[in-house]
């Protein structure tokens, strides 16, 4: 296990005062606003410390560990269940326990939640949530399964040379709509606005764990590394079995067609939504979730943004995205029919 510490190369920079005030107003869970943290201004909670980030930058690694790295709402939970089962010889009984913190570490959770805001948004009488415990034990025995929404430039710089990494990208429009619902669902974000306001924040990159597109481009440029398996959410929806075989081969596993069919059925959205171990039902009692606003696993569709974006929003978003993607050959499946 690698233990030599590396200095954190970035400074934590608060945003401009007027921007911070708007963030605190629109996202009541972030009274301290946000902070930028790398060369393309990845956003974390304004309460984050350089010590936290240096610890994350030196997160312990072991060659037996498997990581999933994605921007938020790009099929992360779906991928976690898929990866864990493939790596653990399809142990469906072992999967009958919460993904986090039992099976996966969510490493940056304390850096993206503002503790002041979380305490403010929690309902009266709710037991306090132990964020560090929810993030998992970084020193649990390997093989460890690690989830990170941090971009590659903020994760341990030796990550790709040490561990297997599955990266999942998604059409930013669908990711934006899903992130909107996620921010309304989790009390800690304290978002009560509409989609139009959220899209404005998304394009201005004034939401925690944005920007998305630079996140994807950075990983895309590393896709040929032998320890990187780059997936698209849309491809998983289009032909899940093919992606299961791809990930199995990447992790050195081989399964029969019957086993692949069973895994695909387990991961089908109709079954996945009913699975309490992936649907985060164990945190409902903590008051962390606005249970009247849906559940953690929502639709799992492609192209659902068309049911939410107005023509004006689409035009603005397309222009913004074209500028962000200029000169990049990152391709994702933009148009797919709705799939169950």
């Amino acid at each position: 296990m690698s233990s030599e510490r590396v200095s954190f190369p970035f400074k934590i920079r608060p945003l401009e005062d007027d921007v911070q005030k708007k963030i605190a107003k629109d996202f009541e869970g972030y009274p301290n606003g946000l902070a930028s943290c790398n060369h393309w201004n990845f956003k974390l909670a304004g309460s984050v410390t350089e010590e936290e980030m240096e610890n994350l930058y030196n997160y312990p690694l072991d060659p037996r560990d498997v990581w999933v790295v994605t921007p938020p709402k790009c099929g992360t939970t779906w991928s976690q269940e898929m990866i864990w089962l493939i790596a653990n010889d399809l142990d469906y009984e072992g999967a009958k326990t919460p993904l986090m913190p039992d099976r996966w570490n969510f490493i940056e959770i304390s850096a993206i939640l503002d503790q002041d805001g979380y305490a403010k948004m929690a309902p009266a009488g709710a037991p306090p949530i132990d964020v560090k415990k929810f993030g998992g034990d970084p020193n649990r025995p390997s093989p460890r399964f690690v989830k990170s929404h941090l971009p590659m430039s903020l994760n341990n710089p030796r990550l790709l040379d040490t561990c297997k990494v599955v990266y999942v990208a998604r059409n930013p429009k669908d990711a934006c709509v899903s992130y909107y619902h996620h921010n309304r669902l989790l009390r800690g974000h304290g978002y009560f606005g509409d989609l139009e306001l959220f899209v404005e924040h998304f394009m201005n990159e004034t939401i925690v764990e944005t920007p998305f597109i630079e996140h994807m481009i950075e990983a895309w440029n590393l896709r040929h590394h032998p320890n990187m398996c780059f997936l698209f959410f849309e491809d998983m929806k289009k032909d899940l079995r093919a992606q299961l075989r791809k990930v199995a081969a990447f992790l050195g596993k081989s399964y029969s067609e019957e086993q692949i069919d069973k895994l695909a059925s387990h991961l089908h959205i109709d079954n996945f939504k009913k699975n309490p171990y992936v649907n985060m039902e164990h945190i409902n009692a903590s008051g962390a979730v606005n249970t009247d606003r849906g559940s953690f696993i929502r639709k799992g569709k492609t192209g659902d943004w068309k049911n939410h974006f107005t023509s004006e929003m689409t035009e603005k978003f397309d222009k913004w995205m074209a500028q962000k993607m200029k000169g990049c050959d990152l391709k994702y499946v933009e148009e797919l029919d709705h799939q169950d």
Side-chain angles (χ1 to χ4, degrees):
M1 186 178 295
S2 179
S3 59
E4 182 182 347
R5 286 185 71 84
V6 179
S7 297
F8 185 59
F10 303 109
K11 295 292 183 184
I12 293 174
R13 306 178 305 277
L15 308 187
E16 297 80 3
D17 286 347
D18 59 333
V19 176
Q20 297 287 52
K21 288 176 182 176
K22 181 168 177 53
I23 291 169
K25 175 179 175 291
D26 294 341
F27 295 84
E28 295 181 29
Y30 291 89
N32 298 297
L34 301 178
S36 293
C37 200
N38 70 348
H39 51 301
W40 40 264
N41 299 319
F42 188 72
K43 305 304 188 306
L44 298 166
S47 53
V48 71
T49 66
E50 289 197 10
E51 181 183 9
E52 281 180 287
M53 294 311 298
E54 182 158 321
N55 287 338
L56 288 172
Y57 201 65
N58 287 275
Y59 199 86
L61 303 175
D62 186 287
R64 295 169 291 176
D65 299 344
V66 181
W67 287 52
V68 63
V69 179
T70 77
K73 311 313 296 178
C74 289
T76 319
T77 305
W78 198 26
S79 303
Q80 286 177 263
E81 182 76 346
M82 171 187 71
I83 293 164
W84 193 92
L85 281 164
I86 289 174
N88 285 280
D89 301 319
L90 307 180
D91 180 9
Y92 293 101
E93 284 302 309
K96 291 179 179 178
T97 186
L99 274 177
M100 297 178 296
D102 295 28
R103 291 185 279 149
W104 285 80
N105 291 355
F106 181 14
I107 65 170
E108 81 275 11
I109 188 168
S110 64
I112 62 170
L113 280 181
D114 187 313
Q115 289 299 294
D116 295 337
Y118 186 83
K120 171 187 170 185
M121 300 309 299
I129 187 169
D130 185 340
V131 171
K132 289 186 178 179
K133 180 181 178 182
F134 189 76
D137 179 6
N139 297 308
R140 75 169 82 193
S142 291
R144 289 183 300 253
F145 294 85
V146 180
K147 163 191 169 178
S148 175
H149 290 316
L150 296 176
M152 295 302 294
S153 55
L154 289 180
N155 283 311
N156 191 313
R158 295 166 293 210
L159 174 57
L160 268 184
D161 291 331
T162 308
C163 304
K164 296 281 190 181
V165 177
V166 177
Y167 188 94
V168 188
R170 188 182 190 185
N171 182 334
K173 291 177 189 169
D174 276 330
C176 178
V177 170
S178 185
Y179 205 27
Y180 159 69
H181 287 286
H182 181 82
N183 272 261
R184 295 184 74 254
L185 178 69
L186 296 187
R187 288 184 185 270
H189 293 299
Y191 185 73
F192 300 96
D194 59 16
L195 177 63
E196 187 172 5
L197 177 62
F198 189 86
V199 170
E200 176 187 320
H201 276 288
F202 192 92
M203 292 190 293
N204 289 333
E205 291 152 2
T206 48
I207 307 173
V208 70
E209 297 205 288
T210 62
F212 274 46
I213 292 178
E214 282 86 346
H215 195 301
M216 292 191 290
I217 291 173
E218 191 173 84
W220 178 250
N221 291 335
L222 296 167
R223 69 193 184 280
H224 297 304
H225 193 289
N227 276 344
M228 168 79 83
C229 178
F230 197 105
L231 303 179
F232 291 95
F233 179 90
E234 290 80 10
D235 287 340
M236 292 171 67
K237 289 296 297 182
K238 185 177 181 181
D239 189 348
L240 179 57
R241 288 166 178 77
Q243 301 307 302
L244 297 179
R245 295 186 201 99
K246 178 178 178 177
V247 173
F250 176 68
L251 297 178
K253 301 288 185 176
S254 179
Y255 295 112
S256 68
E257 286 302 304
E258 183 180 0
Q259 289 172 313
I260 291 292
D261 286 346
K262 182 178 178 180
L263 180 56
S265 176
H266 176 81
L267 295 170
H268 190 281
I269 187 63
D270 290 346
N271 297 321
F272 203 65
K273 286 179 69 172
K274 299 172 187 174
N275 184 338
Y277 307 110
V278 301
N279 213 2
M280 308 299 287
E281 292 182 10
H282 61 294
I283 69 171
N284 287 351
S286 72
V289 178
N290 290 305
T291 53
D292 60 332
R293 294 183 177 181
S295 59
F296 194 80
I297 305 300
R298 201 173 63 88
K299 288 186 177 181
K301 290 182 178 291
T302 59
D304 189 47
W305 65 268
K306 298 171 190 173
N307 296 320
H308 298 271
F309 275 41
T310 64
S311 57
E312 183 181 1
M313 288 161 62
T314 301
E315 183 179 0
K316 285 182 180 179
F317 201 95
D318 284 345
K319 287 180 180 177
W320 169 79
M321 198 160 61
Q323 184 62 35
K324 300 284 280 187
M325 302 282 285
K326 196 171 183 179
C328 174
D329 64 347
L330 169 65
K331 305 293 183 187
Y332 57 88
V333 184
E334 185 172 2
E335 300 295 343
L336 279 178
D337 293 333
H338 286 192
Q339 300 181 35
D340 296 329

